[in-house]
Amino acid sequence: MKNKYFSLGALAVACMMSANVAAQKATSFVVKANQPTAEIQPTMWGIFFEDINLGADGGIYAELVKNRSFEFATPMMGWKEQKKNGTTGKALVHNQEAINPSNRRFIRVESGSDEGFGLSNEGFRGMGIKKGNQYNFSVLARQPQGDNVAVVVELVNPDGKSIGSATVTPQGKQWKKYNVSFTATETEPKAYLNVWAKGKGTVDMDMISLFPQDTWKQRPNGLRADMVQLLADMKPGFFRFPGGCIVEGRTLDERFEWKKTIGPIENRELTVNRWNTEFGHRLTPDYYQSFGLGFFEYFQLSEDIGAEPLPILNCGMACQFNTGEVVPLDQLDTYIQDALDLIEFANGGVNTTWGKKRADMGHPEPFNMKFLGVGNEQWGEQYIERYKIFAKVLSEKHPEIKLITTTGPFPDGEEFDYLNTTLRGMKDTRVDIIDEHYYRAPEWFKENATRYDSYDRKGPKIFAGEYASQTVAIASPDNRNNWNAALSEAAFMTGLERNADVVVMASYAPLFAHVEGWQWTPDMIWVDNLRSFGTPNYQVQKLFSTNSGTQVVPVLLDGIAVTGQNNTFASASIDKKTNEVILKVVNTSDKEMNNEFVIDGVKKLQNRGTHTELRSDNLNQENSFENPKAVSPVQKQIQVKNNKVQLKLQPYSVNVIRVKIS
C-alpha cells in the first residue's frame, strides 16, 4: 500500500508539472511585417463634436455669462434684479428688431439712487473662477439720456463675498463696446456676476460678457484651454462638426445654419439647442446656442490641433426622431448654395465673396477643406432623393471634395439595409464615404470585430462616425464610462484598423459632458466649471490615435487574423515615418496570457521596444475628478530577441507594442 500511494502521488506530481509546463507555454502570434494589406489614412482616428451636454456654451466655449444678449425665449433667463439697502430702480428688456434682427434685444437699467441697483447672472451652473487669473469683461452700452451712470462689475462667491471687480463708464447716446479687466482673488467653482448701476440715471446694455484671459492660445473670446488640450493630446486625424442631430434641428427653422455663426459675435443669431427638452429625464430649458463657437472657430480649432476639418450640413431634412420636416425637392437651392458657399468660405481666395469674409475674420489663408457631409443621420427614400440632388451639383462644381453620406442611426435593420443597398447600387451618383453609427452593448462591439472583413473592397469607404458602448441601454441615463465599455470598444477598433482599406475614419461620440448639464451618457470627456478629465474610453481613443501607423500588416494566430480567439483581439501596422512595427493586442479575458510575438519579414529589430498597457482588474472602474487617472496608460521598456517579443498580457488589458526596425 505504501508503494502504491507513493506511485499515485508521484503520478499526481508529474501531472501537475506537465500542466504547469503547458500553462507556461507561450501562445505565438506572428506579425507579417513585409506584407502590407492596406494604407492607413491620416484621418483614421478623429474627433466628433456636437453641442450636447453643454459641450459648447457652458463647456469648451469659455464665455461665463449665460444669455448675454437677452435673446433666450425668456429674455431674463439666467438674470435677476439686485438691490442693496432698499434702493430703487428697474430693468426692462427692449426689442429693436428693425435695427438688428440677429440680436434684437437689449436691457435698459434705470437707477434711482447713487448705487445699489443692478443685475446678477448665474452663469452656466455657476461660473468657474481661478485665483490670480485675469478676467475680461465687455459690454455694448450707451446712455440714452446723456446721464453719467457708471457700471460696476463684480464677481462674488455663493456667500456674496466679492472676489474681483472693476468699473466702466459708458459715455454718449451711441452704442459702443467697453472693456475692462480684473484679477480674481479666490478660486470659486460657483461664482456669479453682478452688474451694478452706479449713479442716478439710465444705461442701456447688450452683449454683457466675461471671459478668462487664459483661453486656448490666449485668444480673446476663445475656448477653454484645458478642454482643447485634451483634444490636441489625441493627435486626431479629423475634427467633425457641428454634430450630430444638432445639424438637423427639431424643426427646419431650428436647424444649424452655418452662415449665422460667422462674423462679429453680436451679429450671430442665437437659436434654441435641440437637446434642451429632448429627454424627460434631463430637461435643460436654459440650453441655447449663442454661436460664439461658430464655423470659423471650428475650422480654426481643426487647424490648431492638426486635424482635417469635416463639416456636416443640413440636407433639407429636420430630425426624423422629432418632426421629420423636409424641404420640397424643388426648393433645395438655398441648402445647396449653402454647401457651395461653405466650400468657398473654407477654400476660396480672398478675392471671392466668402473667402473675403474668412480673411476679414483674420484667416486669409484657406483652411483646405477636403470632406463634406450631406445630412447627418437621415433614412428613407426622401434622403436618397435629396442626396442625389446635392451630389450632382457638388460633383460638377467641386469634384475635389469627398462627399460623406449616411446609413441612418442604426448599424443594422430595415433603415440601414435600405440605405446601404441603395447607396452602393447607385451608378450615376457619387458616394465616396458612408457614415455608419453604432450605439450598442459591450458584447456587440466584441462580436462585430469582423464586421468589415467581408465588405466590398471596391465600394464606398466607411466612416465609423459615431460609436460608444452602452453599458445599460441606448440613451439610458444610467450608462457608465467604465472599463468594460472601453475594453469592448478597443476590441472593435482592432477590426476597424485591420480593415483600413475600407474604414478611413472613426470617431467616438459624444465628446463632452458637463457633470451638471448633461443629457446623454456615456461621453468621452467630462467637465465641470474648472476641471476636465478623460474617461477610460478617451484613453483607448488616444492610445489608438497616437499609435496609428501608416500601413496595416497581418497579425496571425495559427495562420488566421486575431478576432476574438481566446478572448484576444489584435491589429498590427508599420509606421513608415518612424520605421517601427506597431502591435495592438486586447485581452478581454479575466486571465493573464503568456504570449510570444514573432515579427516576421524584417531583417532585424532593435533589441528594445516599448509596451504601453491600459488596464484595470475591475470592469466597472471609471475615471473621475477625484481619480482622473484610475484607468490610464503605463509605458515600460521591453526586450526584443531574435525578432521576438515575450510578453505576459494582463487580464482586461489593451496593449500597444512598438519596436524599431534596424
Side-chain angles (χ1 to χ4, degrees), residues 598-659:
V598 180
I599 315 299
D600 191 20
V602 295
K603 288 184 179 180
K604 187 179 179 182
L605 298 174
Q606 291 189 2
N607 60 10
R608 287 182 179 273
T610 62
H611 171 214
T612 304
E613 181 184 71
L614 187 64
R615 66 175 299 270
S616 175
D617 289 327
N618 179 9
L619 288 176
N620 291 317
Q621 181 66 59
E622 300 177 52
N623 292 348
S624 64
F625 290 115
E626 293 70 31
N627 192 2
K629 300 295 185 181
V631 181
S632 58
V634 175
Q635 187 178 98
K636 56 188 175 183
Q637 283 197 331
I638 53 173
Q639 295 293 321
V640 183
K641 187 175 182 181
N642 298 325
N643 285 13
K644 296 179 182 179
V645 175
Q646 301 284 342
L647 192 64
K648 290 183 178 181
L649 300 183
Q650 294 302 306
Y652 304 140
S653 64
V654 179
N655 305 270
V656 176
I657 300 163
R658 296 185 72 121
V659 182

Side-chain angles (χ1 to χ4, degrees), residues 67-143:
N67 191 17
R68 63 188 175 188
S69 58
F70 308 96
E71 300 297 321
F72 285 18
T74 303
M76 287 295 288
M77 184 176 281
W79 296 92
K80 63 180 180 180
E81 293 184 12
Q82 293 275 76
K83 295 181 180 181
K84 290 181 180 177
N85 304 321
T87 56
T88 60
K90 63 180 180 179
L92 186 64
V93 174
H94 285 238
N95 191 307
Q96 55 174 357
E97 182 172 1
I99 300 173
N100 187 354
S102 297
N103 182 10
R104 298 172 295 157
R105 300 183 183 129
F106 66 91
I107 195 161
R108 174 162 292 173
V109 174
E110 297 180 13
S111 174
S113 59
D114 288 337
E115 58 182 298
F117 179 78
L119 305 171
S120 177
N121 188 271
E122 65 188 17
F124 299 91
R125 313 301 185 268
M127 297 180 180
I129 303 301
K130 294 181 180 179
K131 181 179 180 178
N133 280 13
Q134 179 178 313
Y135 291 86
N136 301 325
F137 175 86
S138 65
V139 62
L140 288 174
R142 67 180 181 182
Q143 302 222 16

Side-chain angles (χ1 to χ4, degrees), residues 363-554:
H363 202 287
E365 295 301 316
F367 286 115
N368 297 315
M369 184 180 84
K370 301 179 180 69
F371 304 92
L372 181 64
V374 179
N376 168 53
E377 218 174 39
Q378 274 68 47
W379 65 83
E381 61 183 18
Q382 59 268 44
Y383 173 67
I384 293 294
E385 292 170 339
R386 285 158 182 78
Y387 176 75
K388 284 183 175 180
I389 298 172
F390 270 86
K392 182 177 186 299
V393 176
L394 292 172
S395 296
E396 290 173 354
K397 299 199 173 194
H398 289 285
E400 77 282 5
I401 300 294
K402 292 189 180 298
L403 301 182
I404 296 176
T405 182
T406 176
T407 48
F410 310 117
D412 47 39
E414 182 179 346
E415 294 89 354
F416 175 88
D417 291 341
Y418 168 74
L419 284 174
N420 188 50
T421 301
T422 303
L423 290 168
R424 292 177 180 279
M426 293 195 305
K427 304 302 181 185
D428 57 347
T429 302
R430 267 180 60 199
V431 179
D432 297 320
I433 302 172
I434 297 176
D435 182 8
E436 295 186 0
H437 294 179
Y438 348 87
Y439 294 105
R440 288 292 185 267
E443 285 305 313
W444 184 95
F445 283 91
K446 289 182 281 188
E447 292 166 358
N448 280 269
T450 59
R451 178 180 177 92
Y452 296 109
D453 291 3
S454 58
Y455 266 51
D456 181 4
R457 279 24 220 174
K458 297 180 180 179
K461 303 304 182 184
I462 294 298
F463 173 26
E466 297 183 35
Y467 62 90
S469 186
Q470 311 287 291
T471 58
V472 176
I474 298 173
S476 168
D478 299 319
N479 285 324
R480 310 299 298 182
N481 283 107
N482 61 28
W483 181 232
N484 186 39
L487 189 66
S488 70
E489 290 155 6
F492 179 72
M493 291 166 71
T494 63
L496 299 183
E497 184 170 88
R498 190 178 63 256
N499 288 284
D501 54 336
V502 171
V503 183
V504 295
M505 298 173 137
S507 52
Y508 183 99
L511 179 58
F512 292 122
H514 192 292
V515 290
E516 295 181 63
W518 59 269
Q519 295 83 47
W520 175 286
T521 59
D523 307 285
M524 192 163 72
I525 295 169
W526 285 82
V527 308
D528 63 14
N529 288 342
L530 290 173
R531 301 169 295 174
S532 56
F533 70 87
T535 61
N537 315 74
Y538 168 86
Q539 298 295 349
V540 164
Q541 294 293 321
K542 181 181 175 183
L543 203 59
F544 273 71
S545 184
T546 56
N547 293 281
S548 183
T550 56
Q551 290 180 314
V552 176
V553 293

Side-chain angles (χ1 to χ4, degrees), residues 127-294:
M127 297 180 180
I129 303 301
K130 294 181 180 179
K131 181 179 180 178
N133 280 13
Q134 179 178 313
Y135 291 86
N136 301 325
F137 175 86
S138 65
V139 62
L140 288 174
R142 67 180 181 182
Q143 302 222 16
Q145 310 302 326
D147 296 319
N148 189 31
V149 178
V151 174
V152 178
V153 295
E154 176 189 41
L155 280 171
V156 294
N157 68 16
D159 296 328
K161 177 186 175 182
S162 177
I163 59 174
S165 65
T167 301
V168 295
T169 304
Q171 295 179 345
K173 299 180 181 180
Q174 302 301 315
W175 287 104
K176 294 180 185 177
K177 186 175 182 178
Y178 297 88
N179 302 277
V180 68
S181 299
F182 56 92
T183 300
T185 58
E186 288 184 9
T187 293
E188 175 53 61
K190 293 287 188 178
Y192 58 95
L193 179 72
N194 289 333
V195 180
W196 299 105
K198 186 174 183 179
K200 295 180 180 180
T202 301
V203 60
D204 293 341
M205 291 182 287
D206 195 7
M207 296 299 292
I208 301 173
S209 174
L210 185 69
F211 275 86
Q213 174 68 27
D214 64 337
T215 56
W216 173 254
K217 291 187 177 291
Q218 303 293 302
R219 290 195 181 110
N221 306 323
L223 307 181
R224 262 183 63 168
D226 62 322
M227 294 172 69
V228 178
Q229 189 63 58
L230 284 167
L231 304 185
D233 290 345
M234 293 177 68
K235 302 188 185 305
F238 67 88
F239 182 69
R240 170 180 168 170
F241 58 86
C245 294
I246 207 165
V247 171
E248 306 160 52
R250 187 181 291 110
T251 67
L252 286 173
D253 287 341
E254 297 173 2
R255 73 186 187 278
F256 199 107
E257 298 182 68
W258 75 267
K259 290 176 180 176
K260 294 182 178 181
T261 76
I262 65 170
I265 58 173
E266 62 269 19
N267 293 335
R268 301 184 188 185
E269 185 178 342
L270 176 141
T271 190
V272 68
N273 189 298
R274 59 119 32 236
W275 297 111
N276 68 340
T277 56
E278 184 72 14
F279 299 112
H281 60 266
R282 295 293 296 182
L283 295 177
T284 318
D286 60 341
Y287 201 177
Y288 285 74
Q289 299 174 83
S290 71
F291 296 122
L293 174 57

